[in-house]
Amino acid sequence: MNIGEVAEAAGLPAKTIRYYEDIGLITPLREANGYRRFTDAHLHKLAFLARARGLGFSIEQCRTLLALYEDRARASADVKALAETHLAEIDAKMAELAEMRRVLAELVEACAGDHRPDCPILLGLAQAPKTD
Amino acid sequence: MNIGEVAEAAGLPAKTIRYYEDIGLITPLREANGYRRFTDAHLHKLAFLARARGLGFSIEQCRTLLALYEDRARASADVKALAETHLAEIDAKMAELAEMRRVLAELVEACAGDHRPDCPILLGLAQAPKTD
DNA sequence: ATAGGGCTTCCAGTTACAGGAAGGTCAAGG
DNA sequence: CCTTGACCTTCCTGTAACTGGAAGCCCTAT
């Protein structure tokens, strides 16, 4: 397969696949004309990466996951630990967003949103957060 | 005030304040020796920025908020519209994270996490997401 | 005179790509 | 045979919002 075909099949932009090669995540073969050639195994790996990225794993985490995936002697505990780390990261981000949302929603609700200049949102940003 | 003092007071790293000057968010005065000098008004602006950033507004949104803040003739509707846009962004991110979390948690739960290599997490990444 | 702490500018690195330029390759059509 | 268009290649730049570090000036205290 050429890069276009594998990109389509893996659901990744060709640009991204070239980038993954750059950083050593995959190593496609090369045709005589310089074109990259991908095997089914490459496609499989790319699809794996696409899904791992889709779950929010960082590139480095994906690199580790891929290594574990290809290590027949891995312990599932290592995979689980990595996944739990990431789960905790997700939870931390969600909590941060939820707190932002809470404060922002409160300000938005207090704002009339009309032609007048008085605005509780700007006031809220200008003043120290009230300790409620 | 010098940059160290205002950084402390605004709760922003000095580096960040220099960066904000670079991109034109604030324009401190300068002493004869080249040191930046900040007034109370500058501090006020920086604290405003710190809080807006803390709520997740982008730098460009902060720029707009600051302009609205300083425009006596603003309409609160404009502020509210911006805040609501950002609220929607937050909601979108939270939904994305929640979906990641859902799928990932499911995989983690299915994984024994022991010394054996069998791992539902890796299987889940390797296979097309099941349509449940 | 020197030691320290704070200040300056400038450059590089971070994450995970995306956009675009300049140019080679290949199959089909005229 | 030539051209056209769709692919492909590499290389360079830009993104967001800083952070870290180097080299060097400024000021105060000892």
Side-chain angles (χ1 to χ4, degrees):
Chain A
M1 291 186 277
N2 280 349
I3 198 169
E5 197 180 344
V6 83
E8 172 75 18
L12 287 173
K15 277 271 186 189
T16 297
I17 297 176
R18 291 196 193 97
Y19 173 67
Y20 287 174
E21 181 182 6
D22 257 18
I23 62 173
L25 277 183
I26 36 158
T27 310
L29 305 167
R30 291 288 179 150
E31 306 279 3
N33 62 15
Y35 284 23
R36 290 170 181 81
R37 184 160 58 85
F38 297 85
T39 64
D40 282 354
H42 288 129
L43 169 55
H44 198 73
K45 260 174 114 165
L46 287 170
F48 181 99
L49 286 169
R51 278 189 284 267
R53 292 286 300 130
L55 289 185
F57 286 100
S58 74
I59 289 285
E60 287 316 308
Q61 288 173 328
C62 287
R63 196 189 297 279
T64 303
L65 284 172
L66 213 46
L68 288 168
Y69 183 55
E70 299 188 328
D71 177 8
R72 299 278 201 114
R74 72 192 162 242
S76 68
D78 292 344
V79 182
K80 189 168 185 174
L82 180 50
E84 279 172 341
T85 296
H86 180 44
L87 204 49
E89 290 164 1
I90 289 178
D91 285 345
K93 272 187 208 160
M94 285 183 70
E96 197 186 339
L97 285 174
E99 176 59 13
M100 286 179 182
R101 209 219 117 89
R102 190 186 66 75
V103 176
L104 188 55
E106 201 175 302
L107 293 176
V108 163
E109 199 151 339
C111 178
D114 55 21
H115 65 285
R116 288 172 304 168
D118 317 81
C119 180
I121 300 174
L122 294 177
L123 279 180
L125 289 171
Q127 283 152 26
K130 66 177 175 196
T131 47
D132 56 10
Chain B
M1 291 185 278
N2 280 349
I3 198 168
E5 197 179 343
V6 82
E8 173 76 16
L12 286 173
K15 277 271 187 187
T16 297
I17 297 176
R18 291 197 194 96
Y19 172 67
Y20 286 175
E21 180 182 8
D22 257 18
I23 61 173
L25 277 183
I26 36 157
T27 309
L29 305 167
R30 291 287 178 151
E31 306 280 3
N33 62 11
Y35 285 20
R36 290 171 181 80
R37 183 160 60 84
F38 297 85
T39 65
D40 283 354
H42 288 130
L43 169 54
H44 198 73
K45 261 175 115 165
L46 286 170
F48 182 98
L49 286 170
R51 280 190 282 269
R53 292 287 300 131
L55 289 185
F57 285 100
S58 74
I59 290 284
E60 286 315 308
Q61 286 173 329
C62 287
R63 196 189 298 279
T64 303
L65 283 172
L66 213 45
L68 287 167
Y69 183 56
E70 298 187 327
D71 177 7
R72 301 279 203 110
R74 74 195 160 238
S76 68
D78 292 344
V79 182
K80 189 168 185 174
L82 181 48
E84 280 173 339
T85 294
H86 180 45
L87 204 49
E89 290 163 2
I90 289 179
D91 285 345
K93 273 185 208 162
M94 287 183 68
E96 197 185 340
L97 285 174
E99 176 59 13
M100 287 178 182
R101 207 219 118 89
R102 190 185 67 74
V103 175
L104 188 55
E106 199 175 306
L107 292 176
V108 164
E109 199 151 340
C111 179
D114 55 20
H115 65 286
R116 288 171 303 168
D118 316 83
C119 181
I121 300 174
L122 294 178
L123 279 180
L125 289 171
Q127 283 153 27
K130 65 176 177 196
T131 47
D132 57 12

